[in-house]
Amino acid sequence: MKDRILNCIRESAKVKESILNSQEIVSNIQNIVDHSVDVFKRGGKILLCGNGGSASDAQHIAAELSGRFYKERKPLFAEALHVNTSFVTAVANDYGYDHIYSRMVEAAGKKSDILIGISTSGNSKNVVNAILKAKEIGMITVGFTGESSCEMDQMCDTMIKIPSINTPRIQEAHILIGHIICQLIEEELF
């Protein structure tokens, strides 16, 4: 069992080492931070969505921004789109699960706000539909996926493609990058 534990840690470290050596990913993180800082300075917001573990990551990142990361500071408007279970279940029942996020983007999103869609496959229909709605509104769209080609590749203004096809390793890297983005936004604004 010890060898399996160490193998999991090595796999995770290998993915993070690949990110460290990717100029594209580092540049895209900087781009997301720059856009986010601008959006918050203008009184805008960041909306996030995903399914399963990616929903948890969306909620985690939103909490770091709307609560605090390191600094005592004013809250920033960031929200995960799945946190109102009455809304989610009503829309899923009335329109279908594929529309839960696009309906909330339509309700809450404004031109030049940011939508971060998180999907390890990059093909989650409800996340894809949310991105389409965000583009229609004029929002800035960001995708967090794995390395495989996916629907979100051609849709998002900025992509974070983790160099892995292993879902747990992708999700571990998503939250690492989410934490980096939250830290840098906070440092730039406060």
Side-chain angles (χ1 to χ4, degrees):
M1 182 177 293
K2 182 180 177 184
D3 287 342
R4 287 183 286 165
I5 293 168
L6 294 174
N7 188 49
C8 288
I9 296 168
R10 284 186 194 100
E11 286 176 2
S12 186
K14 182 179 176 187
V15 170
K16 290 175 177 84
E17 186 71 30
S18 295
I19 293 167
L20 184 64
N21 293 316
S22 171
Q23 291 291 8
E24 181 179 4
I25 293 174
V26 171
S27 177
N28 286 347
I29 292 169
Q30 182 176 348
N31 186 35
I32 294 165
V33 171
D34 289 343
H35 282 301
S36 299
V37 167
D38 182 57
V39 163
F40 286 129
K41 282 181 177 177
R42 289 185 287 100
K45 64 187 151 306
I46 295 179
L47 304 175
L48 302 98
C49 62
N51 297 295
S54 297
S56 296
D57 290 342
Q59 192 167 345
H60 184 159
I61 294 165
E64 301 288 19
L65 293 168
S66 60
R68 69 177 205 133
F69 195 72
Y70 280 122
K71 299 178 183 228
E72 289 297 330
R73 48 132 174 113
K74 72 175 190 162
L76 301 169
F77 192 157
E79 187 66 82
L81 298 180
H82 66 275
V83 297
N84 181 339
T85 54
S86 295
F87 174 86
V88 169
T89 56
V91 171
N93 185 61
D94 295 345
Y95 298 96
Y97 192 74
D98 290 350
H99 303 284
I100 60 170
Y101 294 138
S102 59
R103 283 292 280 183
M104 188 53 84
V105 167
E106 185 174 6
K110 303 287 183 241
K111 183 177 178 161
S112 300
D113 284 345
I114 295 175
L115 174 69
I116 299 176
I118 306 173
S119 169
T120 58
S121 71
N123 297 314
S124 298
K125 194 66 178 165
N126 56 359
V127 176
V128 166
N129 286 341
I131 293 166
L132 289 171
K133 181 56 71 177
K135 298 294 281 182
E136 184 181 308
I137 292 168
M139 295 173 69
I140 298 163
T141 55
V142 174
F144 282 29
T145 69
E147 72 181 0
S148 299
S149 293
C150 61
E151 285 187 64
M152 288 169 58
D153 286 342
Q154 303 307 314
M155 301 169 63
C156 293
D157 298 312
T158 304
M159 287 291 292
I160 298 293
K161 292 184 72 68
I162 302 304
S164 177
I165 58 170
N166 183 322
T167 297
R169 303 296 86 88
I170 295 167
Q171 289 175 329
E172 291 160 5
H174 282 170
I175 204 59
L176 167 68
I177 290 170
H179 274 163
I180 292 167
I181 290 167
C182 291
Q183 178 178 338
L184 296 178
I185 288 170
E186 192 175 75
E187 288 174 358
E188 291 297 307
L189 286 174
F190 304 99

